[in-house]
Amino acid sequence: MLPSFYQTCLQSQLTQTQFVTLEILVELLHKERRITIERLATLFPQPILFESRRRNIQRFLSLPQLTPQAIWFPIVKQWVKRHHPRSKPLHLVIDRTQWQDHNLIMVSLVYNKRAIPLHWMWLNKQGQSSLVEQRRVLRPVFHLLKKHRFILLGDREFHSIELAAWCVEKRVKFVFRLPKSTTVKPDDSSRFTRLDDLPQTPGITEQYLQIQVTQNRGFGKHNLVLRQKRAHRQSSSDAWYLLTNLVDAEQTLNAYATRFSIEPLFKDYKSGGYHLEDCHADFGRFTALLVLIAIAYSISTLQGRRIRKKQVQRYVARVTEPKRTTKRHSAFWIGLYGKLWIEPLNLWSTLAGQLMALKPQKRLFFQRGLNAISLIQSAL
């Protein structure tokens, strides 16, 4: 069952038949985490011929309204309103992922050390994105979040001084990481020098305000923050060279640190989760499938957060491991596993009850588990 505000947003765009079809496909994505049309048609619960099920799914995925702007943006508006405090700026990440013949540029919202997809665009080429393509994927997001404060984050692919100048024109705060070969002019009296030739001390933050970056003219001046972490156990640490229009160095560093939340998102979309690499749909259907994944992914993340708040995540998955400092599973996986565990308990409740009756010495543990199940069900 979709959350209520998801239902409200989707029902305004879809007919009842289309809405129910979407609900079923989202549930199948929760269960199977495979987005091939063949697999979805195999499991689709409708008593018709397999080929008819496959064609129905293809027709559904070809609907013109199954786009991020029409279907997903209204949900994002409600998501931000409900789950992000207005006192804090949003952190947006622009990044690109590539596999096989697919090349996808995506803008996402950082949410509790995870990224929620906002908008994406298929690049009909291999390699890095251009400034034109970066602007094209960003414009709808800027319009969507025009009433909110946000900071745009990008790695070295998005170091373009042209993109920075465009963000200044749009009055958008940004932090872009620069490659060490970039040349800058620290002050009017100095000469241009490479970033990695600037004086820097591991563990110490250096900041330059209103300096010229690159020898190209006509793009104004920007701020620069340099930070090289101390190396531990003979390991080297790359320096961060951050181009920004923020004036607070610590805010710049803290904002950029959240950029890495998009890496787990890409992993969850591909081999670590929904197996995008198995999808061979055409451009239109592929875009529609990404809309469905965004819905399924965000729902699982919300459910995982609620399960954690109820402190019953240990019943769902192995939360920690020896000698591991980070959590083993994200909110996305906690929400996903919680749903997967509850379903067979309901499906085989008679057999599960018989098995519990054969172990009376563990009655107390079973009772605690049943109480946890009730809490998990209330979070789904």
Side-chain angles (χ1 to χ4, degrees), residues 199-221:
Q200 48 195 295
T201 304
I204 303 298
T205 301
E206 301 286 347
Q207 184 179 32
Y208 299 84
L209 297 176
Q210 292 300 294
I211 67 170
Q212 186 173 343
V213 181
T214 78
Q215 300 181 45
N216 297 327
R217 297 185 178 275
F219 297 108
K221 296 183 177 182

Side-chain angles (χ1 to χ4, degrees), residues 89-104:
L90 303 169
H91 288 169
L92 308 183
V93 182
I94 181 171
D95 207 348
R96 181 182 60 85
T97 186
Q98 185 172 317
W99 70 100
Q100 297 177 7
D101 296 328
H102 294 78
N103 198 4
L104 194 70

Side-chain angles (χ1 to χ4, degrees), residues 39-55:
R39 185 63 175 167
L40 294 173
T42 300
L43 300 173
F44 197 82
Q46 199 169 22
I48 56 177
L49 297 174
F50 171 83
E51 188 61 26
S52 297
R53 299 199 301 273
R54 190 178 67 84
R55 285 198 300 268

Side-chain angles (χ1 to χ4, degrees), residues 140-168:
V141 178
F142 289 176
H143 181 73
L144 173 69
L145 301 176
K146 61 184 178 182
K147 295 183 179 180
H148 300 271
R149 294 184 299 122
F150 57 85
I151 303 171
L152 179 64
L153 314 170
D155 67 5
R156 281 168 284 201
E157 178 176 335
F158 305 93
H159 70 274
S160 167
I161 193 69
E162 292 91 345
L163 182 60
W166 183 67
C167 287
V168 171

Side-chain angles (χ1 to χ4, degrees), residues 138-195:
L138 285 168
R139 280 194 185 95
V141 178
F142 289 176
H143 181 73
L144 173 69
L145 301 176
K146 61 184 178 182
K147 295 183 179 180
H148 300 271
R149 294 184 299 122
F150 57 85
I151 303 171
L152 179 64
L153 314 170
D155 67 5
R156 281 168 284 201
E157 178 176 335
F158 305 93
H159 70 274
S160 167
I161 193 69
E162 292 91 345
L163 182 60
W166 183 67
C167 287
V168 171
E169 177 187 331
K170 297 294 183 181
R171 299 182 180 180
V172 170
K173 300 298 182 182
F174 64 87
V175 181
F176 299 145
R177 187 175 179 181
L178 296 170
K180 61 184 179 181
S181 60
T182 304
T183 57
V184 299
K185 191 175 183 181
D187 55 66
D188 293 336
S189 61
S190 61
R191 303 172 64 180
F192 279 96
T193 182
R194 283 171 54 112
L195 286 174

